[in-house]
Amino acid sequence: MGWIGETVDSIKSLQIRQVLTQTVSLGMIVTSALIIWKALMCITGSESPVVVVLSGSMEPGFKRGDILFLHMSTDPIRAGEIVVFNVDGREIPIVHRVIKVHERQDTGEVDVLTKGDNNYGDDRLLYAQGQLWLQRHHIMGRAVGFLPYVGWVTIIMTEKPIIKYILIGALGLLVVTSKE
Amino acid sequence: MVYFLRSSSQLSRPEAEEKNNPKMHSFGYRANALLTFAITILAFMCGIASLSDNFNSPSPSAQVQVLNINWFQKQPNGNDEVSMTMNISADLQSLFTWNTKQVFVFLAAEYETSKNSLNQISLWDGIIPSKEHAKFWIHTSNKYRFIDQGSNLRGREFNLTLHWHVMPKTGKMFVDKIVMPGYRLQDDYR
C-alpha cells in the first residue's frame, strides 16, 4: 500500500504544465510519424510505399523479413519487374516477378503473368479460380529499393502481439515519466 | 520510428545542461543515445553503399543463337505455341560491384502483333550469385511456354532481349538490357 501511496503522491506533485508538455511531445511524435508515412504515399504514388516480404518465394533475392520500397508510376509494366499485386479473394498482397506481358494495341490494357523466382511454376495457381492474367488494377506498385532484415520487427509484432503491447507500453511510460 | 525521433531531439541538447540534470547519465539515456547513434551510422552506410553503385559503368555482352524449332503448332483454343532450342552466351561480370547480392538475368522474346502493341515472353531466366558465374554459356530449350495471344506467330519477326536486374545488398535496384533483333519464325507449323 505504501508503494501506491507514494505513486499517487508523485503524480499529485507533477505540475500541470509538465503534464501538458509531455502530452504535446507525445502527440508530436505520433503526428510526425504519420506525416512521414503520408508524405511517402504522395511521393511514391503507392497506397503502401513500404512492404515487408513474408514468404521465401523470391529467394535468394528477397528473404522473409526484408523491406521493399514501392513506386507506382504511370510507366507501363514490363517483363522482369518485381511487382506487388492483390488477387481477388486473398487478403495479403504478393511480391513476384513479371515474366510475360501482353499490351493491347487499341486500349493499352495489359495482361501480365508473374512468377516467384524460387517457385517452380508460374502464379496461375495463386490467382483467383480461372484467372489467367493480372490486369493493371491488381498491381499495387513495383519494387525499386531494398533494405534487408528490418521487416523482422513487424513480423515479430504481428505474430506475437504481446511483444507489441509491451513495447508500446514501455515507450509510453518512458515518454510520460521522463522529466525534461 | 518513435524511439528514433524522440532520442534525436535529446541528443541535440546543449552539453552545459547535462551537469544540472543527473537523469542525463542514467542507463536509459545512455542506451538510447548509443542506439540512435548506431542506427544513424548504419543508415548512412547503407545510403553510401547504394550510392557507390552509380560509379560502376558496366560493359556486358550477350549472344543468342536459335538452333532449332522443336515444334510449332496451333493449340485447340487457337493460340500459337512454339518450342525452340537456343544457345545463350553472355558476359555479365562487369555488373558486379561490392554491393551486388545477385544478378537476375532473363531472355525474353519481344514482338508486335495486330492485336498487341507489345508482347514480352520470358523464355529462360537464371540467377547469377557471384562474379565467377557471370560469364556463362548455356544450351537450353525454352523454360517457359512461348504462347501467343492469338494465331500470329507464323512468319513473325521478333527480338530476343537479354534483360538483367541487379539486386543490391542494400539500396536501389538497377535494370538494363541488350536487344538482339532480326529473328524470324518460319511460315508453316510443324
Side-chain angles (χ1 to χ4, degrees):
Chain A
M1 285 311 270
W3 180 76
I4 292 172
E6 267 173 41
T7 316
V8 169
D9 281 345
S10 79
I11 287 173
K12 273 184 189 160
S13 72
L14 282 177
Q15 288 153 354
I16 185 77
R17 185 177 289 195
Q18 205 179 356
V19 173
L20 270 178
T21 317
Q22 303 290 11
T23 320
V24 169
S25 76
L26 190 66
M28 288 287 279
I29 292 162
V30 173
T31 43
S32 59
L34 204 67
I35 287 169
I36 291 172
W37 181 251
K38 291 283 172 187
L40 269 177
M41 274 173 79
C42 285
I43 294 165
T44 63
S46 177
E47 53 187 303
S48 54
V50 175
V51 292
V52 176
V53 179
L54 293 175
S55 80
S57 61
M58 285 295 280
E59 281 194 39
F62 303 141
K63 293 196 181 66
R64 189 169 148 82
D66 291 347
I67 273 190
L68 295 182
F69 297 94
L70 302 187
H71 187 75
M72 193 66 205
S73 60
T74 49
D75 295 347
I77 290 156
R78 290 292 174 258
E81 289 174 342
I82 296 160
V83 294
V84 179
F85 59 92
N86 265 314
V87 174
D88 307 326
R90 259 177 197 269
E91 275 182 30
I92 300 171
I94 303 173
V95 186
H96 277 175
R97 193 185 296 275
V98 175
I99 61 165
K100 292 185 185 181
V101 172
H102 295 282
E103 191 171 73
R104 290 283 171 286
Q105 194 84 259
D106 41 0
T107 56
E109 284 173 16
V110 281
D111 282 342
V112 167
L113 180 66
T114 53
K115 175 185 171 287
D117 288 357
N118 199 28
N119 291 353
Y120 183 73
D122 61 43
D123 285 349
R124 287 205 170 127
L125 289 172
L126 299 175
Y127 296 168
Q129 194 139 32
Q131 184 181 3
L132 292 180
W133 304 97
L134 293 178
Q135 266 82 42
R136 182 83 200 195
H137 66 266
H138 292 113
I139 290 167
M140 292 165 60
R142 71 192 88 194
V144 290
F146 166 75
L147 196 63
Y149 308 120
V150 184
W152 273 110
V153 181
T154 47
I155 291 183
I156 289 167
M157 283 199 199
T158 16
E159 287 180 0
K160 300 249 185 325
I162 188 89
I163 293 177
K164 179 167 66 182
Y165 297 131
I166 291 173
L167 212 67
I168 291 174
L171 277 177
L173 211 66
L174 210 72
V175 171
V176 173
T177 55
S178 66
K179 299 191 171 69
E180 293 190 33
Chain B
M1 178 54 88
V2 173
Y3 207 59
F4 181 74
L5 289 174
R6 193 181 125 66
S7 45
S8 58
S9 71
Q10 276 161 5
L11 268 188
S12 61
R13 278 173 156 228
E15 278 185 28
E17 213 178 312
E18 269 183 47
K19 292 201 175 80
N20 307 328
N21 190 352
K23 273 266 175 181
M24 276 312 280
H25 301 284
S26 74
F27 174 77
Y29 279 104
R30 283 164 192 254
N32 193 346
L34 191 67
L35 193 71
T36 311
F37 187 64
I39 290 173
T40 313
I41 294 292
L42 198 62
F44 181 72
M45 279 165 64
C46 287
I48 294 288
S50 179
L51 279 178
S52 72
D53 278 343
N54 290 309
F55 297 116
N56 186 32
S57 46
S59 52
S61 64
Q63 275 185 325
V64 179
Q65 285 173 293
V66 177
L67 297 177
N68 185 34
I69 303 295
N70 303 327
W71 42 267
F72 185 14
Q73 64 188 30
K74 190 174 191 169
Q75 293 180 330
N77 59 17
N79 293 337
D80 279 355
E81 176 170 10
V82 59
S83 165
M84 53 173 74
T85 305
M86 295 162 292
N87 252 347
I88 307 166
S89 62
D91 181 358
L92 304 178
Q93 291 183 75
S94 56
L95 294 175
F96 281 80
T97 69
W98 68 317
N99 189 33
T100 306
K101 182 190 206 170
Q102 63 167 42
V103 171
F104 181 86
V105 56
F106 70 101
L107 184 76
E110 301 181 348
Y111 58 96
E112 188 183 343
T113 60
S114 52
K115 183 187 175 192
N116 294 329
S117 57
L118 176 72
N119 299 277
Q120 283 185 308
I121 295 173
S122 180
L123 299 179
W124 171 85
D125 61 17
I127 293 168
I128 307 173
S130 68
K131 193 169 186 169
E132 289 77 55
H133 299 92
K135 194 172 182 178
F136 61 90
W137 177 91
I138 187 168
H139 175 90
T140 179
S141 60
N142 50 320
K143 186 172 163 185
Y144 306 113
R145 299 174 74 178
F146 188 168
I147 304 174
D148 185 45
Q149 284 193 331
S151 178
N152 308 299
L153 286 185
R154 275 169 299 170
R156 177 66 54 193
E157 288 188 1
F158 63 101
N159 294 341
L160 284 175
T161 308
L162 193 78
H163 297 256
W164 55 86
H165 285 232
V166 180
M167 286 203 196
K169 292 206 168 86
T170 181
K172 190 175 176 295
M173 294 186 262
F174 288 87
V175 180
D176 210 349
K177 62 185 175 184
I178 297 179
V179 181
M180 290 161 277
Y183 296 88
R184 189 173 178 277
L185 286 167
Q186 62 206 45
D187 294 318
D188 305 304
Y189 297 125
R190 55 175 285 191

